[in-house]
């Protein structure tokens, strides 16, 4: 199962991130840090820190960006996987993160990024994807239920809500954990591959076209 892309226009291309993308990714992420409760980060990362994050992530997991060729700011979103927990028995599970530029939302870019992550996760042998979504009892100036509904539409299922988990902008927020099972959940599975072990046989633009 992959996110349904039947309604996605051919509006963007998906490729693997590089450290040179750090400035563009920082520009996308900074408003989420400063004006949104979607992330519990309170200090935006530097370009150097973002470049290190990209390099470190790509050793083990996919890190992808969405680009618009006809735009002055061609990178309009990014997504990556990270460990769910550090202990060895968790290696078949990964956490997802996704951020789309505020001017490019509702155009299928997030859905295309997720489709790429799911394809990559399956290729590595990861069997469950988890999303941690900030939520509250009612919308406020820093948070709506858009992320929760977006993940629901993609097929993520809520599996637990943790109350009063983070305080940002002087307000308490809950988090909801959601799961996207990939399977096949057989006994004694083969350990997942590292992303860095597979890139030799991959085209770095293997997600260039977003299917309609």
């Amino acid at each position: 199962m992959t996110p349904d892309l039947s309604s996605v226009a051919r509006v963007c291309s998906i490729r693997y991130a590089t450290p040179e993308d750090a400035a563009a990714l920082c520009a996308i992420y900074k408003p989420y840090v400063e004006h949104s409760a979607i992330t519990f980060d309170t200090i935006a990362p530097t370009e150097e820190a973002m470049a290190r994050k990209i390099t470190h992530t790509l050793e083990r997991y996919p890190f992808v960006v969405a680009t618009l060729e006809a735009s002055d700011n061609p990178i309009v979103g990014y997504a990556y996987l990270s460990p769910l927990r550090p202990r060895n028995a968790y290696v078949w599970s990964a956490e997802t993160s996704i951020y789309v530029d505020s001017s490019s939302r509702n155009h299928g870019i997030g859905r295309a990024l997720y489709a790429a992550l799911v394809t990559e996760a399956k290729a590595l042998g990861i069997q469950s994807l988890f999303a941690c979504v900030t939520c509250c009892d009612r919308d406020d100036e820093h948070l709506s239920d858009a992320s929760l509904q977006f993940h629901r539409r993609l097929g993520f299922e809520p599996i637990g809500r943790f109350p009063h988990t983070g305080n940002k902008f002087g307000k308490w927020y809950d988090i909801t954990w959601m799961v996207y099972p990939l399977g096949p959940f057989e006994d004694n599975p083969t350990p997942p591959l590292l992303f860095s072990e597979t890139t030799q046989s991959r085209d770095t633009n293997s997600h260039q076209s977003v299917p309609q």
Side-chain angles (χ1 to χ4, degrees):
M1 179 179 179
T2 57
D4 178 15
L5 292 178
S6 59
S7 62
V8 178
R10 196 181 295 273
V11 296
C12 68
S13 297
I14 307 296
R15 62 168 174 80
Y16 301 133
T18 70
E20 289 72 28
D21 298 324
L25 273 54
C26 283
I28 292 171
Y29 188 55
K30 185 176 181 180
Y32 285 95
V33 174
E34 296 182 345
H35 306 295
S36 169
I38 287 176
T39 175
F40 282 173
D41 269 342
T42 58
I43 300 175
T46 64
E47 291 180 21
E48 293 78 10
M50 182 66 78
R52 289 194 299 269
K53 183 183 186 71
I54 294 168
T55 299
H56 177 71
T57 299
L58 288 171
E59 293 174 2
R60 182 172 175 183
Y61 294 111
F63 197 132
V64 294
V65 299
T67 64
L68 294 180
E69 298 300 333
S71 170
D72 292 335
N73 182 24
I75 297 180
V76 292
Y78 66 97
Y80 60 91
L81 299 182
S82 57
L84 180 66
R85 289 289 187 274
R87 295 182 176 88
N88 289 341
Y90 287 104
V91 296
W92 292 272
S93 298
E95 183 177 350
T96 65
S97 296
I98 182 169
Y99 298 96
V100 176
D101 184 81
S102 60
S103 65
S104 301
R105 294 175 193 158
N106 303 313
H107 294 291
I109 292 168
R111 193 174 285 264
L113 285 164
Y114 252 123
L117 282 188
V118 168
T119 298
E120 295 290 343
K122 286 182 174 180
L124 295 177
I126 293 169
Q127 303 204 25
S128 292
L129 298 179
F130 292 85
C132 182
V133 181
T134 310
C135 53
C136 58
D137 292 334
R138 60 183 60 86
D139 291 358
D140 65 26
E141 62 181 311
H142 303 296
L143 187 71
S144 71
D145 70 347
S147 181
L148 189 68
Q149 297 306 321
F150 168 71
H151 283 85
R152 283 184 183 273
R153 289 194 297 271
L154 290 183
F156 280 81
E157 291 292 333
I159 54 174
R161 179 162 172 163
F162 291 43
H164 304 103
T165 309
N167 190 296
K168 191 173 182 181
F169 308 116
K171 178 176 179 179
W172 288 101
Y173 291 95
D174 301 351
I175 58 170
T176 294
W177 279 98
M178 309 181 78
V179 64
Y180 190 101
L182 302 175
F185 306 115
E186 297 172 344
D187 291 341
N188 302 310
T190 302
L193 298 171
L194 299 179
F195 182 78
S196 58
E197 295 175 339
T198 67
T199 51
Q200 300 257 342
S201 61
R202 295 174 186 228
D203 179 355
T204 56
N205 292 303
S206 60
H207 300 293
Q208 186 171 6
S209 296
V210 177
Q212 295 184 19

